[in-house]
Amino acid sequence: MGIKSVTAANDVGTAQRDVAPGRDGAASAASGVIGIVVIGRNEGERLTRCLESLRGQDGVVVYVDSASTDGSADRAREMGVEVVVLDGSSRLSAARGRNEGFARLAQGAPTEFVQFVDGDCEIAPGWLERGAAALREDATLGVVCGRLREKWRERSVYARLCDMEWDGPVGEIRECGGVAMYRAAAFAGARGFNAAIRWGEEGELCGRLRKAGSRIVRIDAPMGVHDAGINSLGGWWRRAVHAGHAYALSAALPEDVRSEQKRRRVWSNVLWAAVMPMVGVAGLIGAAWWRWLGALPVLLMIVYAMQVFRVCLRTAREGRSAGDAWVYSVFCLLAKWPQVVGQIKYWRGR
């Protein structure tokens, strides 16, 4: 059971007419409903925990399933959740799932705010009220998120890295992750996520929202926990490849939308994971004719070690423990290789 898939732009355009009838973008007097869109694919027990965390919370829940083969859609129906099953008429993606979930919400009661949740996350008690209160108190806010932490932080170094990534600074930020609460009128006015983007869709939408005058803020409140399920080098590598793809995408966006930080990361990855290794290989080859070139690989290894030490000191100054600082700094450097792979995939795909 599901709905016929249509383009993301048409879905969100319909929602815009339902949610934002006024020229000033204000919600109607009848609005006030918090809509919750959960997306997932083969999440198994993680989806059960996610939906359980939403029981009793003040929100209308829609689960959007991306061709799961583990019975996720049936599991959600058994828990009393409305389900949208995406068909294969176009690429399956988180962006498309969120857009179609938002469109389904718009068919019901007017929605003031929409909370997007990934199926591997659990929402903290009271978060929906805190997020909605923040949006109501400040009309300039288009998106609000809170503190998200990794559920099983101590299970592996990869989970530990994810936990550090989720634990971002409080205050105004340039973009949020996939789990966040949006003002429905702002989301619809921006025509939602770009469904053609496979990774990095949140940053692209946040750029358009900022351009339209909306602010994005992380408040000091527990939002939930995330279960990345990454317990191997291969899983970490794939995630880093996706991150590199998102960085390259962001760098290619117009100047008033893109993230300058991600743009710098693109060229940093190229330097550390492509240019410098090629210089080292050239030194080894050239040493057959000019012996002094053989010192180049040694010098490069020293530079790499200095970079790890520099990042470690900076991370420790930000308040991380010594252990976290060392783990982060080492993997920050190692991640540049899979991220370059992701960047190359993006450039080739263009």
Side-chain angles (χ1 to χ4, degrees):
M1 182 174 72
I3 60 173
K4 183 177 180 180
S5 174
V6 293
T7 63
N10 288 341
D11 283 344
V12 180
T14 301
Q16 182 180 9
R17 290 192 293 274
D18 291 338
V19 177
R23 292 182 61 85
D24 62 356
S28 69
S31 63
V33 174
I34 300 174
I36 305 169
V37 175
V38 181
I39 61 169
R41 178 174 182 174
N42 294 329
E43 297 295 349
E45 288 301 320
R46 295 190 297 186
L47 177 62
T48 300
R49 292 196 297 267
C50 174
L51 297 178
E52 285 285 356
S53 75
L54 298 171
R55 284 187 187 274
Q57 299 222 36
D58 184 20
V60 179
V61 183
V62 173
Y63 169 62
V64 185
D65 186 81
S66 293
S68 291
T69 58
D70 67 347
S72 289
D74 291 335
R75 184 191 303 255
R77 291 190 189 99
E78 291 169 0
M79 297 180 69
V81 175
E82 184 172 3
V83 175
V84 175
V85 177
L86 300 182
D87 60 37
S89 62
S90 59
R91 174 186 288 177
L92 298 173
S93 67
R96 181 185 167 202
R98 292 172 187 142
N99 284 347
E100 297 206 19
F102 183 81
R104 174 56 68 90
L105 285 173
Q107 296 174 10
T111 303
E112 188 176 8
F113 310 121
V114 57
Q115 172 73 46
F116 291 108
V117 186
D118 293 347
D120 55 5
C121 295
E122 300 164 49
I123 293 298
W127 161 250
L128 296 179
E129 292 78 6
R130 290 289 300 274
L135 287 168
R136 288 193 180 103
E137 289 170 4
D138 189 343
T140 68
L141 296 186
V143 190
V144 65
C145 60
R147 291 197 173 277
L148 184 68
R149 305 306 299 262
E150 186 63 20
K151 185 177 180 68
W152 310 111
R153 187 185 195 274
E154 302 305 326
R155 281 191 174 179
S156 70
V157 66
Y158 312 110
R160 190 174 176 184
L161 288 166
C162 285
D163 185 69
M164 285 187 272
E165 180 181 336
W166 310 145
D167 187 23
V170 170
E172 186 163 357
I173 53 180
R174 292 188 61 81
E175 60 185 74
C176 60
V179 182
M181 183 179 290
Y182 288 71
R183 190 180 302 276
F187 181 83
R191 303 191 71 79
F193 293 99
N194 184 340
I197 297 176
R198 193 169 184 182
W199 299 296
E201 71 283 351
E202 302 98 340
E204 191 272 344
L205 172 57
C206 285
R208 287 188 281 119
L209 287 170
R210 292 197 314 272
K211 183 179 179 180
S214 291
R215 296 168 54 237
I216 304 152
V217 167
R218 179 181 288 111
I219 63 176
D220 191 10
M223 182 170 62
V225 292
H226 180 277
D227 182 4
I230 299 176
N231 299 302
S232 67
L233 180 62
W236 171 82
W237 180 277
R238 286 189 295 274
R239 190 169 186 276
V241 169
H242 297 167
H245 187 283
Y247 294 162
L249 165 71
S250 180
L253 293 174
E255 185 175 356
D256 56 353
V257 172
R258 72 186 178 209
S259 165
E260 285 301 318
Q261 181 185 31
K262 289 183 177 178
R263 185 169 178 267
R264 290 193 296 270
R265 286 185 178 180
V266 166
W267 297 114
S268 173
N269 291 340
V270 170
L271 172 65
W272 291 92
V275 175
M276 289 175 61
M278 286 190 290
V279 170
V281 171
L284 287 174
I285 296 172
W289 291 275
W290 298 283
R291 184 172 298 179
W292 61 271
L293 287 175
L296 277 178
V298 177
L299 291 174
L300 289 176
M301 293 303 295
I302 294 173
V303 172
Y304 280 126
M306 291 175 62
Q307 172 68 0
V308 169
F309 187 66
R310 185 183 71 84
V311 174
C312 181
L313 287 179
R314 185 193 67 199
T315 306
R317 285 197 296 268
E318 292 172 352
R320 301 287 184 189
S321 67
D324 279 356
W326 277 113
V327 167
Y328 178 82
S329 59
V330 170
F331 276 88
C332 186
L333 179 62
L334 293 177
K336 293 184 179 299
W337 277 267
Q339 286 171 4
V340 161
V341 172
Q343 290 170 198
I344 293 171
K345 288 185 174 182
Y346 171 78
W347 292 327
R348 289 181 62 185
R350 295 185 67 188

